[in-house]
Amino acid sequence: SLGKLQQSLDAPALRPGIGCGVGRNMQAIAEDGSIYPCHRYAGEKDWVIGTLERGLDPSKTENYYREILANYDATCSGCVARFVCGGQCPWYISLPDGHVGTPDDASCDAIRRGLEMQLWMLVELRSRAANGRRALQAAAQSIEGEQP
């Protein structure tokens, strides 16, 4: 969104992060009580990060995040969009064996094109707003000049 882009430009993060709430403020609980990082993982036994009975498994949860962030660091470190993107959907790059893969080029290219369009739109909106303010100021000065 343009708001997220503006926030990233105003206060860049020191390190790219995960763009969604996977495993933090968004989890899925299956009928058997298994806890998954999000609804997309539900039913995939290699992705269980805890149970209702025992709670979240700290080592599984930490390893999950560590692997995602390590892959983002390795793959995204030279990408212009890395601080705005938040990485590809963790589920999308997750492998069936319980490990996290790397983002794919086609999706990354689409994200970069989207960022380019957002940047253009932000610059265009700022330019139009500035031109609109100048036009209003000129009109106000014109009106003031006409008064006796």
Side-chain angles (χ1 to χ4, degrees), residues 20-28 36-38 49 56 61 64-65:
C20 70
V22 67
R24 297 173 295 208
N25 61 0
M26 178 177 60
Q27 299 163 352
Y36 296 90
C38 88
I49 58 171
L56 289 176
T61 305
Y64 175 74
Y65 286 119

Side-chain angles (χ1 to χ4, degrees), residues 74-95:
T75 306
C76 308
S77 62
C79 179
V80 67
R82 69 188 172 277
F83 294 108
V84 178
C85 170
Q88 286 183 350
C89 167
W91 176 82
Y92 180 75
I93 60 173
S94 295
L95 305 173

Side-chain angles (χ1 to χ4, degrees), residues 134-147:
R134 282 193 290 275
L136 285 173
Q137 288 169 344
Q141 289 171 350
S142 173
I143 292 170
E144 287 174 4
E146 292 175 7
Q147 294 179 359

